[in-house]
Amino acid sequence: SINLRWLCSLISDARTDRGIDADLQFVSTEDLTLHDELTKRMLHAAFFAGSLCLADLECVELFREPFMAVLNSRHTLARSASLSLDQVRGEPVIWLRREASPLLFDAFRSSCVARDYRPSIIQEVRTLYECLEFARADLGITFLPASMQAKYAGDSVVFVPLRESDLYAEYNLAFLRGRRSSVVDRFVRFVQDYVCHNSPARTPFQ
């Protein structure tokens, strides 16, 4: 669920960066196995959306990306310049199943609760793309990271900014605490520097 265009650009630069000085391999994994794979050193570091607060992991906060409300273009709220959560309260919502992305799911729910908003979820799906297509079919509204707007906004679906800046996807890089290889240290420094100069979000961490 991370901004794939940004991630692909980072991977491309990392593979040719002389400061890392290592043959890097990038693989996709599931949230449910992320901690186990890091612990068993099957992974040295992992990008993820959401929050992972575990004693044996160190997390580097990268950036936050605001969620936008996504609606069918015929929806009564589709012409709004922006929306508050009060305006969508009671609207049927399409959202991810927890097992599809538990870290993002939990972070999204916590952000909603903090704003006194409890989405009325009528359909759970496995991917953000499915959320989009259900909204396009006018089966409910959904909330998607702002980076998806450039590719998917069109005649039949609209992305509307939310006024609540606290509703966002948070992206992090995790690795094991304590003793680790110098390659991991160099990669972490590379990622932090890359985020400073190439953050896709409006609210990078300082």
Side-chain angles (χ1 to χ4, degrees):
S1 55
I2 198 168
N3 184 324
L4 290 180
R5 181 173 296 181
W6 177 86
L7 182 61
C8 288
S9 178
L10 179 144
I11 290 172
S12 177
D13 284 9
R15 283 176 171 164
T16 58
D17 186 84
R18 293 183 179 180
I20 298 176
D21 191 27
D23 182 18
L24 299 177
Q25 292 184 335
F26 293 86
V27 298
S28 296
T29 190
E30 302 292 333
D31 280 6
L32 292 171
T33 62
L34 187 149
H35 179 235
D36 188 52
E37 291 184 52
L38 285 169
T39 302
K40 293 179 179 178
R41 300 188 182 275
M42 297 166 66
L43 296 174
H44 296 290
F47 295 101
F48 63 94
S51 180
L52 188 63
C53 300
L54 296 171
D56 58 343
L57 293 184
E58 186 171 343
C59 292
V60 174
E61 299 167 326
L62 300 178
F63 57 88
R64 293 172 178 173
E65 185 174 14
F67 278 108
M68 301 182 74
V70 181
L71 314 89
N72 179 277
S73 58
R74 297 186 302 273
H75 194 284
T76 54
L77 298 173
R79 294 182 178 273
S80 305
S82 64
L83 290 169
S84 69
L85 292 179
D86 279 339
Q87 287 176 279
V88 299
R89 198 179 301 275
E91 289 284 340
V93 173
I94 313 298
W95 188 237
L96 298 173
R97 298 168 57 184
R98 187 180 184 279
E99 56 267 33
S101 184
L103 299 177
L104 179 60
F105 180 97
D106 291 346
F108 175 77
R109 174 161 288 187
S110 294
S111 294
C112 289
V113 170
R115 306 299 300 183
D116 193 30
Y117 171 64
R118 288 168 175 77
S120 177
I121 298 174
I122 62 162
Q123 179 72 47
E124 293 184 331
V125 296
R126 293 194 57 82
T127 68
L128 294 178
Y129 181 74
E130 288 176 90
C131 289
L132 172 77
E133 290 304 315
F134 274 77
R136 189 192 302 277
D138 204 18
L139 297 175
I141 70 168
T142 193
F143 300 95
L144 298 176
S147 60
M148 295 183 68
Q149 180 181 19
K151 183 174 182 179
Y152 293 112
D155 294 337
S156 59
V157 68
V158 296
F159 286 65
V160 182
L162 293 169
R163 294 173 198 159
E164 283 78 6
S165 60
D166 287 341
L167 202 59
Y168 54 79
E170 178 181 312
Y171 299 102
N172 294 275
L173 176 67
F175 47 90
L176 284 176
R177 288 189 184 276
R179 205 167 114 193
R180 57 181 177 267
S181 72
S182 59
V183 173
V184 173
D185 287 335
R186 293 197 298 271
F187 179 70
V188 171
R189 288 196 297 271
F190 167 83
V191 172
Q192 290 176 306
D193 183 68
Y194 189 88
V195 169
C196 288
H197 296 93
N198 302 278
S199 173
R202 300 174 192 170
T203 53
F205 288 104
Q206 302 297 321

